[in-house]
Amino acid sequence: MKVQERKDLEQVLIRLDEMPHPVQVFIKNKLDNNLSPSSALEYVRDYGIFFSWASPKLWPHVEVSKLSLALFNDLDADHVKQYMNHLTYSRKLKHASMSRKILSLRSMFGFLHQEFDNDGYPILRRNVFAGFTMKRPKNHSEVAHQLQDKILRVNEIPDFVKFVQQDVSKLNNPQAQWFHNQNRNRDVSIITLLLESGILVSDIVNLDLDDICIQDGYVVVTRQQSQVRKKHRIMFGESAKTYLYEYMKVRIGTYAPNPDEPALFLAKPNGELHGQRISKRTIQVMVKKYASKFGASEVTVRQLTHSFGFQYAGTNSISNLKQQLAERNIESLEKYFILSSLHE
């Protein structure tokens, strides 16, 4: 199990202690059936949001962790509609985020509906979420159109990298500039690696020194496919090579890692003597900070991956893109070719 997965699993177990027993049973069942810890953490976060909304309304005198499966029968279709309105208008979630939360609840309630009591009858009388189907975008063309304003165009990528490397200094206050001077080489190497490989943020976090060959321009990542963990070689471009070499020159001097620290990318919080493996959250915040100052507030770590897919699709086949991104499903890549055709 990779480092990020271990961290996510630790968070899952901590959060499960605050969840009702039926939720614990469901998540542990999913983990036993090879659900990744990262996905399990997303499930638990979704359930936390739901119970923080539902508990005061339906079970105000019962602690969330003490809720029994029988109490879940108090939920009805009107409650689900109210919760969807809460997600839309109070939390202001977009369709994709709301869809995931409803689908995760539907999955759990479907599982719990199959649980039987001693007389052979389901304790949970119905899956109240079963009748709520969150329609996904109709086709890949629609997804491509949704991505248009959220990615970096090919001609914007070198400008963004240059901005991260030096132009952001014009906008920084003295404290921000101190942090930028310290982390500049790391930040620009992570961003160019994202833009020139299509690698995922969890892959970046999990990378060890032994997983990268800068000279030959590739990293080795491990992905869960079906119930098998497979290693994939993902190539990256010349700019990423250049910035990675520069980062490696300062990695030890800047972050002072322990001699046995295997992580490629490090962070050293204030007050710490030794740098440790960078977290997913640190990378997400870092990318968002630069994107906002660059004037592209819609751009996130995920959008950098989409930006790579868009530019790669312009000159490569779908099978090449599938191999590069280590994707199982070719259909999920069609959006990049549609997006590329929109800008021909």
Side-chain angles (χ1 to χ4, degrees):
M1 185 179 289
K2 284 286 190 175
V3 174
Q4 186 61 48
E5 291 178 324
R6 285 200 296 270
K7 290 181 177 179
D8 289 342
L9 182 59
E10 289 172 3
Q11 284 297 309
V12 168
L13 298 177
I14 290 170
R15 289 170 180 258
L16 275 183
D17 284 341
E18 302 170 357
M19 290 286 106
H21 180 69
V23 177
Q24 297 179 21
V25 171
F26 171 70
I27 292 295
K28 288 175 181 177
N29 176 271
K30 296 290 281 186
L31 288 170
D32 288 343
N33 285 280
N34 292 305
L35 180 72
S36 73
S38 298
S39 296
L41 184 56
E42 292 300 321
Y43 272 103
V44 175
R45 285 171 175 159
D46 290 346
Y47 300 149
I49 291 170
F50 173 71
F51 285 109
S52 68
W53 173 86
S55 187
K57 294 177 178 295
L58 295 167
W59 314 290
H61 304 298
V62 183
E63 292 182 26
V64 170
S65 61
K66 304 298 184 184
L67 292 173
S68 67
L69 181 56
L71 286 174
F72 290 4
N73 287 309
D74 295 341
L75 283 163
D76 60 31
D78 285 338
H79 293 129
V80 177
K81 293 175 183 176
Q82 291 173 31
Y83 180 58
M84 292 171 70
N85 287 334
H86 168 73
L87 295 177
T88 302
Y89 299 110
S90 297
R91 298 188 68 90
K92 301 186 184 303
L93 296 186
K94 295 181 179 179
H95 180 277
S97 297
M98 185 170 73
S99 176
R100 191 196 71 218
K101 286 174 171 49
I102 297 301
L103 289 173
S104 65
L105 285 162
R106 189 170 70 180
S107 177
M108 180 182 70
F109 275 73
F111 169 82
L112 296 175
H113 181 56
Q114 303 302 316
E115 292 292 301
F116 293 88
D117 64 15
N118 293 332
D119 296 323
Y121 294 99
I123 299 174
L124 186 65
R125 293 194 296 270
R126 64 192 180 282
N127 177 1
V128 71
F129 288 90
F132 292 85
T133 302
M134 299 295 295
K135 294 182 179 179
R136 298 181 181 274
K138 294 180 181 178
N139 52 49
H140 299 294
S141 178
E142 186 173 339
V143 175
H145 280 83
Q146 291 174 358
L147 287 176
Q148 279 194 93
D149 298 325
K150 298 180 180 180
I151 62 170
L152 293 173
R153 304 293 192 272
V154 173
N155 62 331
E156 292 177 318
I157 288 174
D159 291 338
F160 182 59
V161 173
K162 179 174 176 286
F163 179 81
V164 173
Q165 186 186 28
Q166 61 186 55
D167 292 348
V168 71
S169 298
K170 302 171 185 176
L171 305 178
N172 284 339
N173 59 37
Q175 184 180 22
Q177 187 58 33
W178 185 89
F179 281 106
H180 182 247
N181 289 338
Q182 181 183 39
N183 297 306
R184 178 203 316 260
N185 295 97
R186 181 202 67 188
D187 294 353
V188 74
S189 61
I190 288 175
I191 284 172
T192 51
L193 187 55
L194 286 162
L195 285 167
E196 293 191 358
S197 70
I199 199 170
L200 302 177
V201 65
S202 57
D203 296 328
I204 295 268
V205 172
N206 287 327
L207 282 177
D208 289 337
L209 293 169
D210 293 341
D211 293 328
I212 187 167
C213 179
I214 302 178
Q215 181 177 349
D216 293 335
Y218 70 84
V219 294
V220 176
V221 303
T222 304
R223 299 277 177 81
Q224 184 84 22
Q225 294 190 350
S226 297
Q227 296 187 7
V228 180
R229 295 176 64 81
K230 294 185 178 180
K231 291 185 179 295
H232 300 271
R233 179 178 292 191
I234 295 180
M235 310 303 294
F236 54 81
E238 292 300 319
S239 292
K241 285 186 185 180
T242 299
Y243 293 120
L244 281 162
Y245 274 127
E246 292 301 311
Y247 167 69
M248 291 303 295
K249 290 178 184 177
V250 303
R251 175 180 175 273
I252 293 177
T254 300
Y255 299 100
N258 287 315
D260 58 349
E261 174 57 68
L264 174 61
F265 290 111
L266 305 172
K268 188 166 73 171
N270 286 338
E272 297 291 334
L273 294 177
H274 302 290
Q276 299 176 354
R277 186 180 299 271
I278 197 169
S279 70
K280 182 161 61 174
R281 179 64 177 164
T282 297
I283 298 174
Q284 291 169 332
V285 170
M286 177 263 287
V287 169
K288 194 66 178 174
K289 173 190 68 178
Y290 287 123
S292 296
K293 290 185 176 182
F294 184 68
S297 58
E298 289 286 340
V299 172
T300 63
V301 172
R302 186 60 178 161
Q303 306 312 331
L304 295 185
T305 299
H306 289 322
S307 298
F308 169 81
F310 161 56
Q311 60 173 320
Y312 192 89
T315 56
N316 288 273
S317 68
I318 196 166
S319 59
N320 287 343
L321 184 57
K322 178 179 182 291
Q323 181 176 353
Q324 173 68 22
L325 297 182
E327 283 281 355
R328 287 177 290 176
N329 184 3
I330 277 186
E331 288 186 1
S332 67
L333 304 177
E334 291 182 10
K335 59 181 176 287
Y336 296 125
F337 292 87
I338 296 170
L339 187 57
S340 180
S341 69
L342 293 174
H343 294 273
E344 289 180 350

